[in-house]
Amino acid sequence: MNFELSQDHKVLRDSVRDFVNNEIKPLAMEIDEKHAIPDTLVQQMGEMGLLGSYLPEEYGGAGMDMLSYAIVVEEVSKACASSGVLISAHTSLCSGPILTFGTEEQKQKWLPDLNSGEKIGCFLLTEPDAGSDAGGTATTYRREGDEFVINGSKIFITNGGFLGTGVVLASFDRSLKHKGISAFIVDLNSPGVSILKNENKMGIRGSYTTAFALDDLRVPAENLLGKEGKGFNVAMDTLNGGRIGIAAQALGIAEGAFERALAYSKERKQFGQAICDFQTIQFKLADMKTRIETSKLLTYKAACLKDAGQNYTMESAMCKMHASETATYVTKEALQIHGGYGYIADYEVERMYRDAKITEIYEGTNEIQRVVISKLLLS
């Protein structure tokens, strides 16, 4: 077993790290305060290939692999979790299912603009009553000639406010539950799509989290993604891969908070010495680093299994669960090491503490991840 990154992955990591330090890190606090990521930064991320990391070059992607994608999200999230989740949701929840389930015509039509950042992608699954229960989808559709007509509502849609490209889940017969669901590729600037609101959140405030109403939204028949009645399969496969992105985001948040706590512990003096000389602080740092490294191994393993074409369902659930709980733990400890200053918005750990919690919730709560893991163990 080789735990070293390849030379290509190291070059990618260093390149992204330089870009983050120069272009994203200086804007991180402003992004949080203004609740928006500047369009110029989104454009730069597209030009860098960060929005199409593992997508093939023939569709305008960077032609890398899933591990590269995890590294990209991790490095960006060290400085700005809002930017990290933009990349994660865009790539794995929209471009990913189009790549996996789309026809050649659909890939040629939709992926180039997504990979360049001309369009920002999202995944319209979550609903007010169904939540994470994809089988409980209440949004409906019917066929009218060469079109599908969709009606319903969606909430908590990451990247929705960009009104770019969306993968929408809807049911033709709710009594069939998961067997009645289909997936569609939708231009969110289409008539019939209305933004109800962009949520005002505790953390990742620069990321759009949008509620939509879909009223007689007409979608061309050629926009059906995969086979009719197989949308649940699209959703499960998409969420499975998406958990790697959330784990990478959580890992980056934890690493960013740890780096700042470690540096602060060396600078801050109390009782005539640096606080890092106190065993209590040393124990905190040791626990934080150990959890981070464990999360990194799980996350990278899940990405490598996906790259190898092997089953990675359990590993994706484990890495998402462990990394997100690590992010919450590490940011809390980082804030504690900063003492009163950690509670002040001038210090980045305050923002990271707020950003971390959502990683335990979206892409399915960690209780759901435990259900997935335990069912696989017992099957």
Side-chain angles (χ1 to χ4, degrees), residues 46-321:
E47 292 169 353
M48 278 282 294
L50 306 187
L51 300 178
S53 53
Y54 69 85
L55 280 293
E57 293 179 357
E58 62 192 285
Y59 306 121
M64 294 185 282
D65 57 13
M66 197 69 181
L67 179 56
S68 299
Y69 159 72
I71 291 169
V72 166
V73 175
E74 174 190 359
E75 290 298 326
V76 171
S77 299
K78 285 182 184 179
C80 177
S82 294
S83 298
V85 76
L86 183 154
I87 295 170
S88 175
H90 168 88
T91 309
S92 64
L93 300 186
C94 185
S95 300
I98 294 174
L99 177 67
T100 302
F101 296 97
T103 64
E104 183 60 29
E105 291 76 14
Q106 288 173 336
K107 295 174 189 178
Q108 293 286 355
K109 178 179 179 179
W110 298 98
L111 290 180
D113 281 350
L114 287 166
N115 290 328
S116 69
E118 184 70 24
K119 296 285 188 180
I120 298 300
C122 59
F123 188 60
L124 287 84
L125 169 66
T126 307
E127 297 182 355
D129 293 327
S132 298
D133 177 16
T137 296
T139 297
T140 61
Y141 75 90
R142 65 183 186 274
R143 181 80 180 250
E144 288 189 1
D146 292 333
E147 294 180 317
F148 293 102
V149 183
I150 302 175
N151 284 279
S153 60
K154 301 289 183 178
I155 61 169
F156 301 154
I157 308 304
T158 304
N159 293 346
F162 286 103
L163 285 177
T165 300
V167 173
V168 178
L169 277 294
S171 174
F172 65 84
D173 185 345
R174 291 186 61 193
S175 68
L176 296 176
K177 297 185 179 180
H178 67 278
K179 293 182 179 180
I181 298 170
S182 299
F184 305 90
I185 308 171
V186 174
D187 178 353
L188 294 177
N189 272 306
S190 302
V193 178
S194 302
I195 288 181
L196 299 178
K197 64 175 176 175
N198 287 309
E199 302 289 353
N200 184 9
K201 308 183 297 295
M202 179 177 82
I204 57 165
R205 298 195 300 191
S207 166
Y208 288 123
T209 302
T210 308
F212 285 101
L214 308 176
D215 298 310
D216 284 340
L217 167 63
R218 293 187 172 272
V219 179
E222 62 263 26
N223 287 21
L224 176 69
L225 183 60
K227 295 181 179 180
E228 191 167 4
K230 298 296 183 180
F232 185 80
N233 297 29
V234 174
M236 292 301 99
D237 183 85
T238 300
L239 293 175
N240 200 19
R243 291 178 185 124
I244 297 173
I246 300 309
Q249 181 198 359
L251 175 61
I253 295 170
E255 288 177 310
F258 175 79
E259 289 171 3
R260 287 155 180 80
L262 179 62
Y264 183 82
S265 74
K266 295 176 180 178
E267 298 165 1
R268 176 65 171 167
K269 300 288 196 299
Q270 285 283 275
F271 306 105
Q273 62 190 64
I275 63 171
C276 66
D277 292 334
F278 295 108
Q279 194 175 65
T280 298
I281 301 299
Q282 292 172 359
F283 282 6
K284 286 183 182 295
L285 294 170
D287 288 341
M288 293 158 75
K289 182 63 173 176
T290 300
R291 295 195 189 199
I292 287 170
E293 289 302 310
T294 306
S295 296
K296 179 175 288 191
L297 289 170
L298 283 168
T299 303
Y300 284 13
K301 180 182 179 182
C304 289
L305 286 173
K306 182 170 171 58
D307 283 331
Q310 298 180 33
N311 190 302
Y312 65 97
T313 302
M314 182 183 292
E315 286 76 9
S316 71
M318 289 194 296
C319 75
K320 189 272 181 187
M321 178 185 74

Side-chain angles (χ1 to χ4, degrees), residues 14-77:
D14 294 344
S15 174
V16 176
R17 189 172 292 173
D18 288 342
F19 173 76
V20 169
N21 287 333
N22 292 329
E23 305 296 339
I24 298 181
K25 191 174 181 179
L27 297 175
M29 284 194 173
E30 179 183 337
I31 287 170
D32 181 70
E33 291 167 0
K34 293 186 176 180
H35 294 223
I37 300 170
D39 291 340
T40 53
L41 181 55
V42 176
Q43 181 181 357
Q44 286 177 295
M45 291 193 292
E47 292 169 353
M48 278 282 294
L50 306 187
L51 300 178
S53 53
Y54 69 85
L55 280 293
E57 293 179 357
E58 62 192 285
Y59 306 121
M64 294 185 282
D65 57 13
M66 197 69 181
L67 179 56
S68 299
Y69 159 72
I71 291 169
V72 166
V73 175
E74 174 190 359
E75 290 298 326
V76 171
S77 299

